[in-house]
């Protein structure tokens, strides 16, 4: 269970942001390429230096060590990184039901990373992130490399996950239909400001 | 000692060979004749100056003057390490990482050798200190330059992998461990190869010099063995320190990968 609160949070290219994501809530963020969406997510995950306050369940980020924070505030980047040969070597404890939900065979755990398609990489990196049990999810175009059927499966998995675990989700997407399907509130970046989309 | 003294004419004969090589380069349009002649000229000037400085220091033998020369050698080596980096650390770190690592390794190993093994009197005697330190710095410099270059290049190329690990809650140390290990390995391979080939493929420079100067071959061998072992240790310690300091510098206090601390890639 996790809520995320931003107070005068300063990410690159953006004016200070005040935002609250309740536990179990999903909000989407869109805007033109280069407007600072990914950089906001990176700053929230503490990958880039930034100023202002951000807290998880009302506990300020500075009270967590950086690895603790990143384990709890999980970031899924559009391009995933893999550092070992086999998929399974990247998991602490792979959750087999997640493979089933995304209709990936259990044997995927033994696949070679170099032979994965971009869609497989994206789905497997989502499973890898969820297996880490984060309390907040920051998703950067989580379905960009997927066809319609797989997009629907990923959306269903995330909806199910946030309901069961009460995680807050901040989802960057370019697709207006997806925005309507997955979120309670939507934000658009315009001239460095966040404007709520009705 | 039955050293045959060289005359300027002897050196001139050797120099004509290099001039002949430059002519061949010109004839074959290799385009390196200019560089070759300048490098040869630098060798003549630099070594002559070193000879003069050492001659002066042999007479004076003042600890302050000797340490000034040692520091000068260290700074030049530090500059060389920096110059060999394709992506060097910006600011003072570009010069500092290599220089500090060489200071830690070369100086401590040289002082240990002079005080405990060779037991020169005094330990800072120019005859022993400067040649030993020169050989230590020269070799350690190469090892550190290769290791640091490997570290920063791979950190840049594999940033996605490093950040993927950070995102999953790995520490900075876990996230760069493989890259750091490979960088250190690359810095140590040349000295390992040199030790493996010593005496079979190549006759090392110091041993050659001592034999030419009339030292008994077994004594020259012992000195060469000592030097090779010291160089291996010095290079290993220096490269370890440099790679460790460099890897740490690639992350900030919140364990973020800070590639902005590296300068632009140089040709």
């Amino acid at each position: 269970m996790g809520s995320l609160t931003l107070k005068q949070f300063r990410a690159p290219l953006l004016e200070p942001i005040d935002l609250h994501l309740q536990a179990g809530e999903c909000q989407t963020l869109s805007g033109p390429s280069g407007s600072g969406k990914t950089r906001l997510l990176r700053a929230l995950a503490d990958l880039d230096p930034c100023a202002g306050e951000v807290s998880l369940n009302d506990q300020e980020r500075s009270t967590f060590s950086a690895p603790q924070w990143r384990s709890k505030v999980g970031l899924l980047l559009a391009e995933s990184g893999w550092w070992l040969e086999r998929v399974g070597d990247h998991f602490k404890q792979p959750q087999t039901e997640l493979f089933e939900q995304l209709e990936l065979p259990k044997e995927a755990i033994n696949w070679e990373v170099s032979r994965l398609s971009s869609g497989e990489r994206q789905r497997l990196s989502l499973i890898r992130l969820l297996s880490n049990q984060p309390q907040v999810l920051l998703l950067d175009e989580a379905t960009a490399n997927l066809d319609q059927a797989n997009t629907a499966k990923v959306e269903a998995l995330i909806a199910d996950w946030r309901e069961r675990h009460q995680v807050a989700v901040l989802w960057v997407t370019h697709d207006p239909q997806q925005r309507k399907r997955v979120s309670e509130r939507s934000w658009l970046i315009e001239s460095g400001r966040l404007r709520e989309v009705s | 000692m039955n050293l045959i003294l060289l005359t300027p004419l002897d050196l001139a004969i050797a120099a004509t060979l290099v001039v002949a090589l430059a002519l061949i380069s010109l004839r074959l349009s290799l385009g390196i004749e200019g560089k070759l002649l300048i490098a040869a000229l630098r060798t003549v000037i630099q070594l002559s100056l070193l000879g003069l400085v050492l001659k002066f220091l042999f007479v004076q033998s003042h600890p302050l003057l000797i340490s000034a020369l040692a520091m000068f050698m260290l700074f030049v080596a530090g500059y060389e390490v920096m110059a060999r980096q394709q992506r060097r650390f910006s600011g003072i770190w570009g010069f500092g990482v290599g220089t500090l690592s060489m200071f830690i390794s070369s100086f401590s190993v040289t002082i240990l050798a002079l005080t405990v093994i060779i037991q020169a009197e005094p330990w800072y005697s120019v005859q022993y200190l400067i040649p030993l330190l020169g050989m230590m710095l020269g070799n350690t410099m190469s090892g550190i330059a290769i290791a640091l270059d490997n570290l920063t290049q791979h950190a840049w190329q594999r940033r996605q992998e490093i950040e993927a690990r950070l995102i999953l809650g790995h520490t900075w140390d876990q996230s760069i461990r493989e890259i750091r290990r490979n960088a250190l390995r690359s810095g140590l391979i040349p000295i390992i190869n040199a030790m493996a080939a010593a005496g079979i493929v190549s006759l090392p420079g110091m041993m050659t010099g001592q034999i030419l100067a009339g030292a008994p071959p077994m004594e020259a061998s012992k000195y060469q063995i000592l030097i090779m072992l010291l160089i291996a240790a010095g290079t290993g310690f220096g490269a370890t320190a440099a790679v460790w300091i460099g890897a740490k510098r690639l992350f900030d206090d919140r364990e973020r990968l800070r590639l902005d601390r590296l300068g632009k890639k140089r040709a």
Side-chain angles (χ1 to χ4, degrees):
Chain A
M1 181 172 162
S3 66
L4 192 73
T5 311
L6 285 69
K7 282 183 192 162
Q8 291 293 294
F9 187 78
R10 290 161 191 269
L13 306 174
L14 299 175
E15 291 191 8
I17 301 169
D18 291 297
L19 191 70
H20 179 69
L21 286 106
Q22 288 175 23
E25 185 188 19
C26 178
Q27 299 187 16
T28 53
L29 182 66
S30 42
S33 297
S35 57
K37 305 180 296 294
T38 301
R39 293 177 79 172
L40 170 62
L41 296 193
R42 286 178 57 91
L44 288 172
D46 211 2
L47 280 184
D48 289 333
C50 52
E53 273 185 39
V54 52
S55 36
L56 173 69
N57 296 330
D58 297 323
Q59 205 180 334
E60 231 282 305
R61 179 163 74 184
S62 55
T63 60
F64 296 89
S65 72
Q68 270 175 348
W69 176 265
R70 293 186 194 118
S71 296
K72 292 175 192 293
V73 179
L75 169 64
L76 183 76
L77 288 169
E79 295 293 330
S80 57
W82 303 82
W83 58 95
L84 295 169
E85 279 177 27
R86 217 176 54 97
V87 168
D89 297 335
H90 299 80
F91 289 78
K92 272 185 204 160
Q93 287 174 322
Q95 301 200 350
T96 45
E97 75 272 14
L98 295 175
F99 285 80
E100 286 163 19
Q101 275 182 275
L102 292 184
E103 291 185 18
L104 282 162
K106 283 179 192 166
E107 297 75 54
I109 207 84
N110 294 317
W111 287 352
E112 272 180 47
V113 171
S114 58
R115 299 181 70 174
L116 298 178
S117 70
S118 56
E120 286 166 344
R121 275 174 183 252
Q122 196 154 34
R123 284 180 290 158
L124 285 165
S125 66
L126 175 64
I127 296 174
R128 183 177 67 180
L129 185 69
L130 296 180
S131 300
N132 221 20
Q133 302 284 340
Q135 295 178 12
V136 169
L137 282 176
L138 307 171
L139 307 176
D140 189 8
E141 300 184 46
T143 57
N145 298 318
L146 304 182
D147 57 26
Q148 236 174 351
N150 278 310
T151 299
K153 281 173 209 152
V154 165
E155 286 176 6
L157 171 64
I158 290 168
D160 175 56
W161 188 270
R162 75 182 166 102
E163 197 178 306
R164 275 200 291 145
H165 298 275
Q166 286 297 295
V167 298
V169 181
L170 182 59
W171 192 328
V172 166
T173 173
H174 284 296
D175 180 358
Q177 298 305 317
Q178 183 170 58
R179 201 168 66 201
K180 285 178 195 163
R181 286 195 301 270
V182 301
S183 66
E184 282 89 24
R185 292 180 85 182
S186 296
W187 302 91
L188 179 69
I189 297 179
E190 270 183 349
S191 315
R193 283 188 186 175
L194 258 65
R195 182 174 68 79
E196 188 161 7
V197 185
S198 56
Chain B
M1 291 278 187
N2 48 356
L3 181 64
I4 301 168
L5 298 177
L6 292 176
T7 64
L9 180 66
D10 299 330
L11 297 179
I13 294 168
T16 48
L17 293 175
V18 177
V19 173
L21 182 61
L23 287 173
I24 290 172
S25 163
L26 194 66
R27 185 82 181 84
L28 297 178
S29 307
L30 298 181
I32 54 159
E33 55 280 357
K35 278 185 182 170
L36 176 72
L37 291 176
I38 289 171
L41 199 63
R42 275 187 65 168
T43 299
V44 173
I45 295 171
Q46 285 165 200
L47 292 182
S48 304
L49 279 176
L50 179 66
L52 286 173
V53 170
L54 289 181
K55 187 181 168 189
F56 172 72
L57 286 177
F58 266 64
V59 179
Q60 293 292 320
S61 214
H62 195 287
L64 264 180
L65 289 173
I66 298 168
S67 35
L69 178 64
M71 292 313 283
F72 176 74
M73 289 162 69
L74 173 70
F75 288 145
V76 173
Y79 177 81
E80 275 297 317
V81 168
M82 184 178 75
R84 291 183 196 182
Q85 305 299 307
Q86 285 198 54
R87 283 189 193 279
R88 62 177 68 155
F89 285 97
S90 25
I92 186 70
W93 290 88
F95 178 71
V97 175
T99 310
L100 178 66
S101 310
M102 275 186 291
F103 180 73
I104 295 169
S105 63
S106 296
F107 276 58
S108 51
V109 171
T110 304
I111 291 171
L112 177 86
L114 288 170
T115 53
V116 178
I117 303 171
I118 298 173
Q119 297 183 355
E121 265 308 322
W123 67 266
Y124 52 83
S125 156
V126 184
Q127 185 190 349
Y128 291 94
L129 172 65
I130 298 301
L132 256 181
L133 186 63
M135 278 187 287
M136 289 299 298
L137 281 175
N139 287 278
T140 313
M141 178 182 82
S142 300
I144 289 177
I146 294 169
L148 267 182
D149 193 45
N150 190 298
L151 175 78
T152 51
Q153 294 263 42
H154 283 97
W156 187 277
Q157 287 162 9
R158 296 168 65 183
R159 62 197 301 177
Q160 210 174 36
E161 295 170 33
I162 299 172
E163 289 199 330
R165 300 186 73 159
L166 292 175
I167 285 169
L168 292 171
H170 293 188
T171 61
W172 73 271
D173 184 47
Q174 292 167 323
S175 303
I176 201 155
R177 191 170 290 166
E178 275 86 27
I179 293 174
R180 194 175 55 197
R181 193 161 44 206
N182 287 338
L184 192 50
R185 209 174 276 158
S186 72
L188 291 183
I189 282 172
I191 182 62
I192 292 173
N193 288 345
M195 282 200 293
I200 301 172
V201 183
S202 62
L203 196 58
M206 182 194 183
M207 189 169 164
T208 313
Q210 283 195 315
I211 292 171
L212 283 175
M218 267 319 289
E219 292 308 311
S221 292
K222 279 192 273 179
Y223 261 93
Q224 190 61 55
I225 292 167
L226 174 70
I227 290 300
M228 291 294 264
L229 298 177
L230 294 179
I231 286 173
T235 306
F237 297 146
T240 307
V243 167
W244 185 266
I245 297 169
K248 187 82 187 75
R249 178 68 191 158
L250 287 172
F251 295 85
D252 64 15
D253 55 346
R254 291 293 295 177
E255 306 191 28
R256 307 177 188 110
L257 179 65
R258 297 296 300 272
L259 293 177
D260 56 317
R261 290 178 173 176
L262 297 177
K264 284 192 177 143
K265 190 173 183 179
R266 297 154 55 86

